[in-house]
Amino acid sequence: MTRLDLTQFPIIQKILYSRWPQFLVRAITLAGFIFTILAGILGSIVGSHNFAIIFVWIAWWTALKLFFIPFGGRSWCSICPIPMPGEWLQNGGILQPSGKGIGLRKKWPKVLRGNWLQAGGFLMVGLFGALTLTSARITAIILLAIIVLALLLSLIYERRSFCNYLCPIGGFTGLYAQAGPVEVRVKNAKVCAEHAEKTCYNACPWGQYPLALKSSANCGLCMECLRVCPTDNIAVNMRPWGSDFGPKTKHRLDEAFLGLVMLASVLVDSAVFLGPWGQLKTAAYEIGSIPWFIFAGIFLFGALVVLPGFYAASVWVANRMGNIQNSFRKSLSHFSQVLVPLGLIAWIAFTVSFAFVKFTYILPVISDPFGWGWNLIGNSNTAWVGETTTFSLFFQVILLSLGLFWASRVARQISDSTKQALPLIAFCAVFNLSLLWLLIG
Amino acid sequence: MKKELLARLIIILFISLAIAIPVIGRLKLSVNHNNVVELHARMPENGGWSLSTIEVKAGKPLKLHITSDDVMHGFSIGKSDQPALEITPGEFVDTTLIFDTPGRYTFYCDRWCGPNHWRMRGTIVVTGDNQTSQPEPQPLFLKLGIDIDSPSDAETIPSKPVSAENGAKFQHLLPEYALQRDTYNATSPAKLWMRLRKESTLANLPDSDLWDIIAWIWQQNTTNDQVINGQEIFAKNCAACHGETGEGDGVMVRGLPVWDPGNHNSGNVMHEATGEGLVRPPDFTDPIHLLGVSPALLEGKIIRGGMGTGMPYWGPIFTNQQIDSLISYLYTFAWNTRAKNSN
Amino acid sequence: MMRQSPNILKQNKLKQWTRITILLLLCLVILFVPFPIPDAPPTDRHIRIEASMFQFTPSEIKINKGDHVTVDLVSTDVVHGFSLDGYNFELKADPGQTSSGSFIANRTGVFRFRCSVACGNLHPFMIGKLQIGPNLLLFRGIILGFLAIIVALLSIKTKK
């Protein structure tokens, strides 16, 4: 496959190699993170006039899905402020490791490995989303809890255990980063094989060994390996989208679960936030009420039983259509690759409806971040109700078709025959049709 | 090591900046707003006005910085003709009020914000030495000793639509008292009709012509401007319960039991926000209700509210002129519509 | 032999580009070609829509193209608004004061209408649907989806 190694350009190589540019960006995101928490706690109770709501749920959440992941894989993780304080303590230094860090550096328990907890966290986002999405206070409290939790865990466990196993957004970006166009790989495997020290593995906050990297799911693009490699043997490649998929790549059952949770979440979010059913919205919002328990029950049943059941059925049929009989469990993991392009494009299409309409809220909260009646840049109170345009509807139709094309292609690539791919394609088609109906029907 | 120090300084600088913006902003706000009262409007279910009482000295400006925390509200001063302010969620409105006369004033929300909207009231206490304010004159219903809670349906109603124009033809036959303002105020249309029925000069007129006369008398006691004014007040304040057509089917009283004169006398029990015991208002288009009540009684109901029915008290809100206009408008429901068969 | 190979490569590339062009044209046809569906005769529509936190009732409305639509907006709890996507049509109603307006439904498709007066936490998601004529875009989307599957399957075969 074609790859373009960015480190061959001296300027890019310098930018990536130096710790300063990344450090400065992370210093800004950390300050922004703290500012967001303060805005959420001190600012207006009215969501549309609170920086925390608009910047987390409109600006950042949109940028993540429309920009960071599709064009940079886990690029957000490389500038995410959440693990910063913990990492300083682990490293004993802010700019670079000093070797005098503190922390117990325990290994993350084996039973909790994989994406299971992240998928669970994402289910929580879906269950409590209507409240967190609209309450600046709750948003701030969650952000605060996350950064404190990340700090505590980094004192107990080694490296970025929080990012690897707990962070729901880490699960989201990791899953879809497999489809992204950026990867960190070694230039020459032979050089690594002869190098006994593994400086890169020791330096990697994510616990990855670059020579063994086959998937970008767990690489946070932090560039530490690049910086410590004594032989300059690390490449940062631009690659075709979807390069991590293939008939031989290894995938786990928890990836399949995470992928299915994401699909269920995008359907439920579309129905709750973009649908015309007011009672559903109220049920999702009034946490603890009887309608909410019904909503939660249906949501969990859909996400844990219906959708996985449907997926499992199509995998079972596909398995029987194949030339070689794999174990069912192995097939469930193997075919989960199909869920990645399908889900990524589905989230992008959802975001077009969800966020484009609300973009006029962004300038006013820069002008008056706390809703205290400021007018810093003269744009306070300029938000309007917004509308979906004909363009955005067509854009969504094209996006969803593209997603179906991509998922079908992956399904065919990882199957023995067209016949084997068809059940999976049917699964994707039904999912896409449901989302199409929710978004433009 | 120098680099590490620089990095730490940068982090401290950025975080300080992130913290300084809201802190300095808040401090500046409180300095600028030294004499300013910040008032938050919230639905009664969310706590109502953030301040229930505001104190100010007579003649001194009261600067208010008002916003809403949930839905659209309004800010208005009771018994005044000042236009209301629209309070939009998340946006601030500034206003300055000056009260010359010491006393207690009501501020209230004038936009319907749920079934308990009318509870969104607060008090501005204006203190001062010159207690020149005169006590309000006693409302007519108290002077006349009308029991506004007793059943008051009309003893008789017209059997066909009335025509004030036709009634005007017989004005020369009327006794003097029929045209007096006091008679209008204190008498219900049905009572006046029965009184006139007994007049020998009108003995030859059929019942329907006599009803036309009553309609004409009621018309004489009001002006077109009053009716228009009353209609505006009704639409804004009353229609959410009484219905836009006066039928008692407003959006706020859906699901409540239908009004029944028998349970209209439940004493001085104030009903809480639960809505327990509340009823639908009567159907004003059924003349049996309005033709049985005098303007003084209507005024009493408006000022004091209907005990135990959910009808709020509007005494601190409306001026006397506004109440008069509202009463004028209310009777148009009874006159303008076809008599309903109340059996 | 060695000389020919760049030519074959060029030819293959040309073939590939022709295919992509044809595919793109096909997509454009699916998305934009007019469907010969007869419009129902336009009528006068009087629609009463009740707005409460955070629901329009009815929230899904179907009408025909060219209909003269009058909307009565009735708020049942707090002040609500009604803003129709794609049409410059907005209403605002206080409880007890029905607000009315009319427009001619001259654009077909499904249009969302949303509350335009902040009415609480879920206000940004208070949405309803107005379908004017058939929802052609949905059918176009479905056909495009089938095309996507076929092209995906073919794209792998041609590679082998």
Side-chain angles (χ1 to χ4, degrees):
Chain A
M1 278 286 203
T2 41
R3 294 285 193 278
L4 176 70
D5 181 6
L6 293 177
T7 60
Q8 64 183 292
F9 305 108
I11 299 169
I12 298 180
Q13 208 258 356
K14 245 184 197 163
I15 290 173
L16 295 178
Y17 195 83
S18 165
R19 286 195 161 86
W20 284 106
Q22 188 186 12
F23 167 78
L24 286 175
V25 176
R26 290 183 79 187
I28 293 167
T29 55
L30 180 67
F33 193 84
I34 291 167
F35 184 76
T36 306
I37 292 175
L38 288 173
I41 291 169
L42 302 172
S44 172
I45 196 171
V46 179
S48 58
H49 288 264
N50 194 307
F51 183 87
I53 293 277
I54 302 302
F55 260 75
V56 173
W57 298 117
I58 305 288
W60 168 78
W61 190 212
T62 301
L64 185 72
K65 288 180 284 185
L66 260 50
F67 173 73
F68 284 106
I69 295 175
F71 298 105
R74 284 197 94 148
S75 50
W76 169 259
C77 295
S78 71
I79 56 165
C80 178
I82 293 171
M84 281 181 84
E87 218 161 62
W88 296 339
L89 295 175
Q90 283 183 341
N91 288 341
I94 281 181
L95 187 64
Q96 62 190 70
S98 70
K100 289 178 283 186
I102 54 166
L104 302 174
R105 294 196 173 80
K106 289 192 173 183
K107 289 227 177 293
W108 187 256
K110 265 233 159 69
V111 281
L112 299 179
R113 292 195 178 207
N115 302 125
W116 299 106
L117 292 177
Q118 292 174 324
F122 214 83
L123 277 178
M124 292 297 140
V125 173
L127 283 179
F128 300 101
L131 182 65
T132 37
L133 216 65
T134 53
S135 164
R137 301 278 185 282
I138 306 272
T139 298
I141 289 167
I142 288 174
L143 292 184
L144 192 63
I146 283 180
I147 200 165
V148 169
L149 185 68
L151 175 65
L152 292 179
L153 287 179
S154 62
L155 289 177
I156 301 168
Y157 297 102
E158 59 168 0
R159 312 188 195 215
R160 289 201 180 187
S161 292
F162 170 81
C163 309
N164 263 332
Y165 306 113
L166 263 186
C167 178
I169 300 305
F172 186 88
T173 45
L175 182 72
Y176 295 126
Q178 297 178 73
V182 179
E183 66 179 13
V184 167
R185 297 288 188 271
V186 297
K187 287 176 183 167
N188 186 348
K190 228 187 210 170
V191 175
C192 294
E194 285 164 6
H195 183 225
E197 237 182 306
K198 293 186 182 171
T199 36
C200 49
Y201 172 74
N202 291 327
C204 179
W206 298 84
Q208 302 293 313
Y209 179 39
L211 180 61
L213 266 184
K214 291 281 180 289
S215 150
S216 289
N218 292 320
C219 167
L221 303 176
C222 66
M223 304 299 152
E224 278 306 305
C225 51
L226 183 94
R227 287 164 193 150
V228 299
C229 181
T231 53
D232 254 350
N233 198 32
I234 301 288
V236 180
N237 292 326
M238 295 305 288
R239 60 179 192 183
W241 278 284
S243 296
D244 283 347
F245 313 129
K248 299 231 165 59
T249 53
K250 282 213 164 62
H251 296 273
R252 302 182 312 265
L253 200 58
D254 50 311
E255 282 175 37
F257 180 61
L258 187 65
L260 289 165
V261 164
M262 298 298 172
L263 294 189
S265 298
V266 75
L267 284 181
V268 169
D269 280 0
S270 299
V272 171
F273 296 120
L274 306 174
W277 307 288
Q279 275 161 340
L280 178 64
K281 295 173 207 288
T282 317
Y285 179 76
E286 283 174 353
I287 289 163
S289 68
I290 291 169
W292 180 79
F293 278 108
I294 297 171
F295 159 76
I298 294 172
F299 178 21
L300 291 179
F301 187 73
L304 301 177
V305 180
V306 179
L307 205 67
F310 192 35
Y311 170 69
S314 49
V315 168
W316 186 79
V317 176
N319 207 14
R320 299 209 30 153
M321 301 278 185
N323 303 327
I324 315 153
Q325 293 283 314
N326 278 323
S327 79
F328 182 50
R329 190 191 156 98
K330 208 176 156 195
S331 298
L332 282 176
S333 313
H334 177 65
F335 289 121
S336 75
Q337 300 174 67
V338 173
L339 307 175
V340 177
L342 188 70
L344 176 60
I345 303 285
W347 276 104
I348 293 173
F350 163 76
T351 304
V352 167
S353 266
F354 184 75
F356 280 18
V357 175
K358 308 291 176 207
F359 273 168
T360 59
Y361 286 112
I362 292 178
L363 281 182
V365 292
I366 296 176
S367 198
D368 182 15
F370 302 93
W372 287 343
W374 296 2
N375 204 352
L376 302 178
I377 56 168
N379 284 294
S380 303
N381 306 336
T382 54
W384 61 298
V385 57
E387 61 174 10
T388 50
T389 56
T390 315
F391 167 76
S392 71
L393 294 176
F394 272 97
F395 187 43
Q396 284 172 316
V397 167
I398 293 166
L399 274 173
L400 287 175
S401 306
L402 201 67
L404 193 54
F405 165 75
W406 193 357
S408 308
R409 210 175 126 87
V410 170
R412 178 64 191 87
Q413 273 171 333
I414 61 173
S415 306
D416 299 337
S417 59
T418 302
K419 210 169 91 179
Q420 191 184 26
L422 278 177
L424 294 158
I425 292 175
F427 172 85
C428 297
V430 171
F431 168 81
N432 247 25
L433 184 64
S434 327
L435 192 64
L436 186 72
W437 176 72
L438 283 170
L439 294 180
I440 70 153
Chain B
M1 238 18 243
K2 262 187 182 168
K3 282 182 181 172
E4 175 71 17
L5 200 67
L6 182 61
R8 289 183 188 191
L9 281 176
I10 289 173
I11 290 287
I12 291 169
L13 178 75
F14 280 18
I15 292 180
S16 316
L17 204 65
I19 296 173
I21 291 172
V23 170
I24 292 174
R26 196 75 240 191
L27 285 179
K28 236 183 130 188
L29 208 69
S30 57
V31 170
N32 284 352
H33 285 183
N34 223 349
N35 321 312
V36 177
V37 178
E38 191 171 313
L39 181 64
H40 287 250
R42 298 171 298 210
M43 290 167 75
E45 292 82 354
N46 298 342
W49 292 107
S50 59
L51 297 170
S52 57
T53 316
I54 301 169
E55 275 192 46
V56 68
K57 283 209 173 79
K60 287 267 155 64
L62 170 62
K63 289 184 190 166
L64 289 171
H65 189 55
I66 316 172
T67 189
S68 161
D69 285 349
D70 41 34
V71 302
M72 181 83 86
H73 293 287
F75 177 87
S76 200
I77 301 290
K79 285 182 169 293
S80 87
D81 291 324
Q82 279 205 344
L85 295 173
E86 193 168 77
I87 314 293
T88 312
E91 295 176 19
F92 280 89
V93 175
D94 292 292
T95 186
T96 305
L97 301 168
I98 298 178
F99 296 89
D100 293 325
T101 321
R104 295 172 77 83
Y105 298 82
T106 299
F107 64 91
Y108 69 101
C109 170
D110 77 323
R111 303 295 285 271
W112 275 92
C113 55
N116 290 301
H117 145 75
W118 65 272
R119 292 177 198 272
M120 241 182 109
R121 294 179 187 177
T123 312
I124 297 172
V125 179
V126 181
T127 54
D129 307 323
N130 50 332
Q131 287 287 349
T132 50
S133 68
Q134 294 161 354
E136 285 267 323
Q138 218 183 12
L140 195 58
F141 78 99
L142 288 178
K143 277 190 212 153
L144 295 173
I146 299 173
D147 176 11
I148 60 174
D149 293 321
S150 62
S152 53
D153 276 353
E155 296 82 352
T156 174
I157 54 168
S159 52
K160 61 173 202 171
V162 294
S163 158
E165 270 174 46
N166 185 44
K169 289 185 210 153
F170 311 107
Q171 50 179 296
H172 58 279
L173 297 174
L174 291 177
E176 203 178 329
Y177 69 81
L179 291 166
Q180 277 165 357
R181 184 75 181 173
D182 284 349
T183 313
Y184 162 80
N185 275 337
T187 324
S188 74
K191 283 250 162 54
L192 190 60
W193 184 88
M194 288 191 294
R195 192 167 167 191
L196 292 181
R197 186 71 288 178
K198 286 176 194 148
E199 294 288 341
S200 51
T201 48
L202 301 167
N204 296 332
L205 285 179
D207 285 359
S208 59
D209 282 348
L210 199 53
W211 274 115
D212 292 348
I213 291 173
I214 302 291
W216 177 78
I217 293 173
W218 249 251
Q219 198 187 56
Q220 287 310 104
N221 278 289
T222 185
T223 64
N224 206 24
D225 282 351
Q226 276 185 312
V227 173
I228 291 167
N229 197 6
Q231 186 172 17
E232 267 170 34
I233 297 168
F234 183 86
K236 208 164 175 244
N237 300 289
C238 316
C241 295
H242 287 275
E244 289 174 62
T245 51
E247 287 175 73
D249 59 350
V251 291
M252 295 292 167
V253 296
R254 289 177 180 174
L256 293 183
V258 176
W259 183 78
D260 168 17
N263 63 17
H264 196 45
N265 205 3
S266 61
N268 291 350
V269 186
M270 278 300 286
H271 287 267
E272 289 312 313
T274 57
E276 189 198 348
L278 302 189
V279 291
R280 282 195 191 195
D283 178 358
F284 287 158
T285 60
D286 182 347
I288 195 145
H289 300 306
L290 278 180
L291 296 188
V293 294
S294 61
L297 190 146
L298 282 176
E299 185 194 39
K301 290 258 190 196
I302 294 166
I303 288 176
R304 197 214 60 183
M307 288 296 178
T309 62
M311 167 80 182
Y313 57 100
W314 297 93
I317 308 295
F318 294 146
T319 62
N320 291 339
Q321 290 81 358
Q322 285 171 329
I323 293 177
D324 282 347
S325 300
L326 195 50
I327 292 170
S328 297
Y329 176 66
L330 288 181
Y331 281 114
T332 62
F333 288 120
W335 295 128
N336 286 355
T337 45
R338 195 168 290 274
K340 278 192 181 172
N341 196 345
S342 57
N343 298 331
Chain C
M1 284 293 280
M2 288 296 278
R3 270 184 202 168
Q4 272 176 356
S5 63
N7 259 340
I8 293 169
L9 229 105
K10 225 178 183 179
Q11 258 181 2
N12 277 346
K13 243 190 179 165
L14 204 73
K15 247 185 189 172
Q16 212 179 345
W17 278 111
T18 333
R19 278 186 194 149
I20 289 175
T21 317
I22 291 171
L23 183 65
L24 284 179
L25 283 174
L26 195 60
C27 290
L28 287 177
V29 166
I30 291 174
L31 279 176
F32 296 107
V33 75
F35 274 66
I37 291 176
D39 289 335
T43 48
D44 278 352
R45 300 256 181 191
H46 205 106
I47 305 170
R48 178 187 156 95
I49 298 177
E50 290 198 355
S52 58
M53 289 158 99
F54 304 94
Q55 161 102 48
F56 289 107
T57 317
S59 62
E60 290 169 87
I61 301 162
K62 279 185 189 176
I63 59 171
N64 296 320
K65 193 188 175 189
D67 282 359
H68 185 262
V69 188
T70 304
V71 176
D72 283 350
L73 183 66
V74 179
S75 289
T76 64
D77 42 25
V78 303
V79 188
H80 289 287
F82 175 98
S83 169
L84 181 59
D85 285 9
Y87 285 80
N88 196 6
F89 182 78
E90 199 178 331
L91 293 174
K92 188 172 160 184
D94 283 60
Q97 298 176 71
T98 300
S99 171
S100 292
S102 27
F103 63 97
I104 292 174
N106 47 18
R107 301 181 60 192
T108 54
V110 174
F111 300 90
R112 297 291 194 273
F113 49 86
R114 11 184 133 245
C115 180
S116 56
V117 177
C119 62
N121 278 334
L122 294 179
H123 156 71
F125 311 117
M126 184 167 162
I127 289 170
K129 289 200 267 193
L130 175 68
Q131 181 172 338
I132 300 171
N135 186 7
L136 283 182
L137 192 58
L138 187 64
F139 295 113
R140 293 181 199 274
I142 293 168
I143 297 169
L144 206 61
F146 274 111
L147 182 73
I149 294 171
I150 293 163
V151 172
L153 292 175
L154 289 178
S155 73
I156 305 271
K157 260 189 186 163
T158 46
K159 248 189 182 168
K160 275 184 179 173

